[in-house]
Amino acid sequence: MTDDGYFVDWDGNLRSTDDPGGGYLCEVDKVARYVAIMTKSGALVHEATYYKAQDDVAKAGIKAPLVPGSHPWGSKADGF
């Protein structure tokens, strides 16, 4: 189940829980402020803190660029 909000990926980019990219899906627990980023088959690939709005990310002192879902996860140097 996705829910609009944001999380920081393993490269320090801010992503939308509605469009995480990479073919991944997000499961969001708003109460726990938790995001599980999973493959379509259900394998967990990343865990992150849930932020309801971009302002909440800034209030947490995080400076992360917002990237679209089309932005790749990882880099060529990482083998992606």
Side-chain angles (χ1 to χ4, degrees), residues 4-8 14 30 33 49-64:
D4 63 337
Y6 301 92
F7 68 94
V8 179
L14 189 62
K30 288 176 148 183
R33 294 187 54 216
T49 301
Y50 170 79
Y51 297 96
K52 184 176 182 175
Q54 291 183 47
D55 287 344
D56 296 329
V57 177
K59 287 177 189 174
I62 299 169
K63 294 181 181 179

Side-chain angles (χ1 to χ4, degrees), residues 7-67:
F7 68 94
V8 179
D9 71 13
W10 58 57
D11 288 322
N13 297 309
L14 189 62
R15 292 183 179 265
S16 168
T17 57
D18 283 339
D19 185 19
Y24 299 133
L25 305 172
C26 290
E27 288 189 15
V28 176
D29 183 333
K30 288 176 148 183
V31 175
R33 294 187 54 216
Y34 172 80
V35 181
I37 298 87
M38 306 173 76
T39 64
K40 290 181 182 180
S41 64
L44 179 67
V45 295
H46 185 63
E47 297 175 294
T49 301
Y50 170 79
Y51 297 96
K52 184 176 182 175
Q54 291 183 47
D55 287 344
D56 296 329
V57 177
K59 287 177 189 174
I62 299 169
K63 294 181 181 179
L66 178 63
V67 296

